[in-house]
Amino acid sequence: MFITLEGSEGAGKSTLIKSLKKYFLETNLDFVFTKEPGGTKEGEELRKILLDKNIELDPLSETFLLLADRIEHVRKIINPALESNKNVLSDRYLDSTYAYQGAGRKIKKDELDKLIKPLKFPEPDLTIYLDLPVEEGLKRAKGRDRLDRFETEEIDFFERIRDSYLKLAEENPYRIFTIDSANGESEVFKLAKDCIEKKLNGS
Ligand code: TYD
């Protein structure tokens, strides 16, 4: 089973992942927790460039770096795990590219499709999207450490990203399960865990 987790800044992905890791460690399920960008050793180097706010990147260069990271990630981590029947949970994946580079950086969807489709990345079986109003998410994110190259963007950028995620969720109701982050940590965890278990049980 291939599960991805999506959300914009400050939506609570890291907290949710911590709880899911702890929970699934206690069950006998074989779960691989991973992330983008930077899920591999090679990807960690690409991530440094992508998040460095002193580096200016053209949106297309940014996209190519993210896709290079994904190629490494899929070939070295995701595909081998899925082939040996493990469950994979990736913190961000394909939808991030359509939301951030598509809506955020304004690269047209058909241009992104032309770059992405030939790469034949595996489709997630389930995507959990944590939704939160932009202002609130940014407030949470800004309370953390130094801001990275994405977090220093204007509010409009994040509004476009949230709209894009909501649209993706509407267009893919069987794959994307939306959770309102305003529910609070324990309720978000319960909703996500129940949804994952239901999927694992084949319903
Ligand atoms: P990270 O520190 O992992 O942030 P978060 O906790 O928000 O996941 O930084 C990853 C950043 O990379 C995040 O701001 C979103 C961005 N990103 C894209 O723009 N496109 C992508 O395809 C992916 C995978 C990530």
Side-chain angles (χ1 to χ4, degrees):
M1 175 82 52
F2 180 23
I3 300 165
T4 60
L5 190 56
E6 296 282 353
S8 41
E9 315 300 317
K13 282 189 298 102
S14 311
T15 311
L16 174 60
I17 286 170
K18 229 187 264 167
S19 313
L20 289 173
K21 250 187 201 167
K22 188 164 168 271
Y23 179 80
F24 283 112
L25 203 70
E26 288 160 8
T27 65
N28 281 330
L29 290 172
D30 227 342
F31 247 103
V32 173
F33 284 84
T34 183
K35 68 165 184 190
E36 288 193 2
T40 59
K41 193 160 70 61
E42 296 70 19
E44 274 173 26
E45 298 304 312
L46 297 168
R47 178 185 169 92
K48 281 185 205 156
I49 303 173
L50 281 159
L51 298 192
D52 185 344
K53 61 172 180 283
N54 299 312
I55 295 179
E56 256 187 57
L57 289 174
D58 182 274
L60 259 187
S61 314
E62 180 179 287
T63 305
F64 274 101
L65 289 178
L66 285 157
L67 293 180
D69 172 73
R70 187 161 302 138
I71 291 168
E72 296 299 315
H73 191 210
V74 165
R75 297 203 174 156
K76 293 177 177 158
I77 311 265
I78 297 177
N79 277 345
L82 294 175
E83 277 155 22
S84 49
N85 280 326
K86 290 180 182 154
N87 298 298
V88 175
L89 192 147
S90 180
D91 178 0
R92 296 196 181 280
Y93 188 63
L94 267 176
D95 296 309
S96 281
T97 311
Y98 285 95
Y100 280 75
Q101 282 60 52
R105 302 289 193 216
K106 301 186 176 170
I107 300 179
K108 290 200 183 73
K109 182 179 179 295
D110 58 331
E111 261 182 69
L112 280 181
D113 279 343
K114 263 187 238 160
L115 298 177
I116 292 173
K117 300 282 178 208
L119 299 172
K120 303 226 176 320
F121 294 129
E123 269 278 310
D125 301 292
L126 170 69
T127 297
I128 292 177
Y129 164 57
L130 294 190
D131 182 54
L132 193 67
V134 171
E135 295 238 13
E136 205 161 317
L138 288 180
K139 230 188 282 161
R140 287 196 201 173
K142 283 182 178 160
R144 296 197 299 244
D145 33 50
R146 281 179 302 139
L147 299 181
D148 64 37
R149 210 171 56 79
F150 291 97
E151 289 163 343
T152 46
E153 285 296 330
E154 300 293 323
I155 194 146
D156 280 5
F157 175 77
F158 297 104
E159 293 285 4
R160 290 197 298 279
I161 289 169
R162 183 182 185 213
D163 290 346
S164 164
Y165 272 129
L166 290 170
K167 189 159 168 259
L168 282 165
E170 209 177 286
E171 289 166 354
N172 298 277
Y174 297 108
R175 174 174 66 85
I176 304 182
F177 180 73
T178 302
I179 296 178
D180 183 351
S181 272
N183 272 309
E185 282 173 24
S186 57
E187 182 63 14
V188 168
F189 165 67
K190 189 183 173 303
L191 290 165
K193 169 189 81 75
D194 287 351
C195 173
I196 292 172
E197 285 183 329
K198 230 164 114 185
K199 193 82 183 177
L200 289 170
N201 293 331
S203 51

